Amino acid sequence: MMKRTALCLLATTVLLGTACSDDEKPLPNIQTMLADMTPDANGQVSELTLDDGGVKTLAKPLNGLKADSTYRIWAVYEVQTPTCVSLIGCTPVLAAAPQAYAADKVRTDALSVVSCWQGASYINLHIGIKGTNTGKHYFGFNRGELTDNGNGTRTLHITLLHDQHGDPAYYTTEMYLSMPLKPLAGTLRPSTDSVSVSVNTFRGVEHFAFIYH
């Protein structure tokens, strides 16, 4: 969201500064969003499924990807038409299904949360971790108790796992994580039950709750 705002502010400044010129071309409509790419049997991707559920056709299909897999990415794209985009760049995003981890695997080293939201098929986290350029951090979503709220609804409790793995806390790096909601389909009732994600941050444990859909 911060990147999108910065782009909008920049565009406004440029347009104001060139309002008197008839020769300037309109600025490209650059947008960013989490998305899924699913190659076909030939390893070609011809469309993006955006985090809000929208589907956009790629002006130039991608080739050479692993067939019949799904890639979760942070996509940077230029809007060509309401249904067609040109992919400018992408960053891989870890999409870890919630599961019950053994007690010795449950590590919750502190991090910061920039934002947390529910998309069409995922709960997403924009986080900041402290480490080095070469350190390895490990993440997961630990599936906890399903509690009865006493009003006909239930809440599934999820904990974000973060293993700093001994990496010194020198620099802050921002990244995205996604938890797919599809694995919860047999457990939670849409529009009735909820998911609560707990995250250990530098300010203490924070909770993010969403109605399951």
Side-chain angles (χ1 to χ4, degrees):
M1 296 297 292
M2 295 176 64
K3 291 183 178 179
R4 185 179 299 175
T5 301
L7 285 170
C8 290
L9 290 174
L10 177 60
T12 301
T13 302
V14 173
L15 287 172
L16 288 174
T18 59
C20 296
S21 173
D22 295 328
D23 299 328
E24 295 292 335
K25 295 181 179 180
L27 292 173
N29 184 0
I30 307 297
Q31 298 187 15
T32 59
M33 188 178 290
L34 289 168
D36 285 347
M37 300 190 305
T38 303
D40 61 19
N42 297 316
Q44 183 180 84
V45 172
S46 58
E47 61 185 25
L48 288 180
T49 301
L50 302 179
D51 191 56
D52 60 9
V55 177
K56 304 294 184 182
T57 300
L58 291 178
K60 183 179 180 180
L62 300 178
N63 294 287
L65 298 176
K66 186 177 179 180
D68 301 320
S69 300
T70 296
Y71 293 80
R72 184 71 169 162
I73 62 169
W74 176 254
V76 181
Y77 55 91
E78 179 182 351
V79 177
Q80 303 292 346
T81 71
T83 60
C84 180
V85 301
S86 294
L87 186 63
I88 297 173
C90 63
T91 303
V93 171
L94 174 65
Q99 58 180 298
Y101 286 82
D104 62 339
K105 301 296 184 182
V106 177
R107 295 290 303 273
T108 56
D109 295 327
L111 47 77
S112 60
V113 177
V114 179
S115 59
C116 181
W117 72 99
Q118 182 174 216
S121 302
Y122 297 86
I123 289 177
N124 305 297
L125 285 151
H126 180 186
I127 64 172
I129 60 173
K130 291 187 176 182
T132 63
N133 292 332
T134 58
K136 293 183 178 180
H137 294 232
Y138 298 90
F139 300 91
F141 293 96
N142 187 43
R143 182 168 174 164
E145 292 184 326
L146 178 64
T147 58
D148 190 333
N149 299 321
N151 59 356
T153 68
R154 301 171 300 169
T155 300
L156 180 64
H157 297 272
I158 303 289
T159 301
L160 174 65
L161 304 184
H162 173 218
D163 186 350
Q164 188 92 7
H165 206 244
D167 190 26
Y170 291 159
Y171 314 106
T172 297
T173 301
E174 293 189 2
M175 60 181 293
Y176 293 88
L177 301 172
S178 293
M179 186 189 80
L181 294 170
K182 187 176 180 179
L184 306 180
T187 302
L188 300 180
R189 298 165 295 178
S191 303
T192 301
D193 297 330
S194 60
V195 180
S196 177
V197 179
S198 299
V199 184
N200 183 32
T201 76
F202 298 111
R203 300 182 299 181
V205 178
E206 297 183 12
H207 306 278
F208 304 89
F210 306 93
I211 300 297
Y212 173 74
H213 59 62

